Amino acid sequence: MRILHTSDWHIGRTFHGHATVEALHEVLQSLAQVVGDERVDVVIVAGDIFDSAMPSGEHFRVLTAALTSLREAGAVVVATSGNHDSAARLGFQASFARLAGIHVLTDPERVLEPVTVDGVHIYGIPYLEPSLVRHLFPGETLRRHNDVLARVMQRIRDDAASRGGRYVVVSHSFVGAVGAPDEASDVERDITAGGLDIVSLDVFDGPDYVALGHIHGRAVLGERIRYSGAPLHYSFSEAGKPRGVWIVELDDDGFSGARWVDLPIPRRLSVLTGTIDDLLTLDRFASAEEDWVSAILTDDVRPLDAMARLRARFPWCATLEHRPATVAPASTESYAARIAQKSDLDIVDGFLGHVRNGQALTDAERDLVLDALGELDADGVAS
């Protein structure tokens, strides 16, 4: 059997205020080409299909188009709900979709009803929040995500043993072997708060393959336990991370290998660092002119109208950060001490130096301040 493992489509997510629906539609349609080229038997989508619990009609149309193209390419589709999804909305009409070879698994009470394809049992575990599923485990104390998944996986192992043959598990969770700063993304909703926590890797002992979702970058926790990551970049923290899918091979004895297949990237992400003059003039930044751009400006003083000026060269500049190359030392004096025995002009000069990284009044600014001060009468009131 050949399986395509994907996850975290996040249909409906924006990228710094910009819609991503069209770009994601393009990428999801390319999955059908991979299915055909690789002769894939089953496509697994490991949760977070939508970005919101209340997807719009347009987002459902994108999902319908993606699932239809995958099915027409010849693959059975198995999808589960993630922590971003509404299980009820995603699972609506799942019984009808199943008739067409599209299995949307969102009901925690049916985790022991695998989708069986050519003798391979595929158990889809929807995202299980402990407070919502404790009633399924009477008499047991389940406070953490790890507790719930450990119980569910034990039941799955027992069920798979009684059925015999190979089996695959799909889960949307934050597994313990992932946690390095380069693995996570700042758009992955935290599922470690409120009593939920990291799931131990050994919880997933047993299956021939475990298809994980939630982490937006690909990760290999073991030969048979992997994250595919998201098919589209949703944050500059994901810049440089490949977008693609795992093609997983199962032979008669179980897992026999996995290969990575890249997906198209509709618009690259580039993080550019330099002074605003460098970014606007140097040839080495020309290759990023059609990219999503995050600009880090190193000017000592924040440039005026920086975003508008940058977008003249980089129309897809999405974020701007001022990170001066040199930082003036902060004064340890109190405000009262800093202004003691100083003229009004010196006070203005010191204030600007404080808020502008050490750059005080220019000659032109000094003339303007002197003119303004000259218009004040002896009581400090404009005449």
Side-chain angles (χ1 to χ4, degrees), residues 344-345 348 365-377 380-383:
D344 290 342
L345 179 63
V348 174
E365 290 170 339
R366 182 178 294 271
D367 291 340
L368 289 173
V369 173
L370 287 172
D371 289 344
L373 293 173
E375 295 181 5
L376 300 177
D377 59 23
V381 179
S383 57

Side-chain angles (χ1 to χ4, degrees), residues 243-256:
R243 304 287 90 169
V245 298
W246 291 111
I247 302 297
V248 179
E249 304 276 358
L250 299 182
D251 60 20
D252 291 339
D253 297 322
F255 178 85
S256 63

Side-chain angles (χ1 to χ4, degrees), residues 143-377:
R143 294 191 176 92
R144 303 175 302 161
H145 201 202
N146 187 86
D147 299 335
V148 176
L149 280 177
R151 300 301 191 280
V152 169
M153 279 300 302
Q154 185 55 58
R155 293 185 178 184
I156 288 175
R157 280 189 287 267
D158 292 343
D159 186 79
S162 67
R163 294 175 187 271
R166 300 160 295 170
Y167 72 107
V168 171
V169 168
V170 186
S171 176
H172 191 89
S173 52
F174 192 87
V175 180
V178 178
D182 62 339
E183 298 287 6
S185 162
D186 58 13
V187 299
E188 292 158 5
R189 181 179 295 163
D190 183 13
I191 58 172
T192 65
L196 307 184
D197 65 344
I198 295 173
V199 178
S200 175
L201 183 60
D202 59 15
V203 163
F204 294 104
D205 286 345
D208 294 285
Y209 184 71
V210 179
L212 295 174
H214 181 60
I215 301 301
H216 285 199
R218 71 178 180 187
V220 179
L221 310 190
E223 278 299 301
R224 58 177 186 79
I225 305 176
R226 299 170 184 250
Y227 283 98
S228 65
L232 198 67
H233 290 116
Y234 288 114
S235 166
F236 282 105
S237 67
E238 300 171 7
K241 294 182 179 180
R243 304 287 90 169
V245 298
W246 291 111
I247 302 297
V248 179
E249 304 276 358
L250 299 182
D251 60 20
D252 291 339
D253 297 322
F255 178 85
S256 63
R259 294 180 289 107
W260 180 256
V261 174
D262 288 315
L263 292 176
I265 297 175
R267 191 178 302 282
R268 297 184 310 170
L269 273 61
S270 291
V271 179
L272 309 182
T273 302
T275 66
I276 192 168
D277 287 340
D278 286 347
L279 265 58
L280 292 177
T281 60
L282 295 183
D283 290 341
R284 63 187 174 94
F285 295 118
S287 61
E289 289 178 357
E290 293 303 318
D291 297 354
W292 289 114
V293 167
S294 175
I296 300 174
L297 299 183
T298 59
D299 304 75
D300 288 342
V301 178
R302 181 185 293 272
L304 293 175
D305 299 323
M307 182 60 87
R309 293 166 63 188
L310 286 168
R311 283 180 173 168
R313 184 179 192 185
F314 308 104
W316 300 101
C317 184
T319 69
L320 172 62
E321 179 184 352
H322 181 223
R323 194 185 298 172
T326 57
V327 179
S331 173
T332 59
E333 291 184 307
S334 67
Y335 177 71
R338 291 201 303 270
I339 67 172
Q341 307 299 318
K342 290 186 178 179
S343 67
D344 290 342
L345 179 63
D346 289 337
I347 291 173
V348 174
D349 190 45
F351 171 76
L352 288 176
H354 176 69
V355 299
R356 298 199 308 198
N357 194 32
Q359 180 173 314
L361 289 167
T362 64
D363 290 342
E365 290 170 339
R366 182 178 294 271
D367 291 340
L368 289 173
V369 173
L370 287 172
D371 289 344
L373 293 173
E375 295 181 5
L376 300 177
D377 59 23

Side-chain angles (χ1 to χ4, degrees), residues 99-113:
L99 299 176
I102 298 171
H103 304 265
V104 183
L105 311 180
T106 64
D107 187 349
E109 298 191 36
R110 304 182 68 177
V111 293
L112 299 183
E113 299 177 20

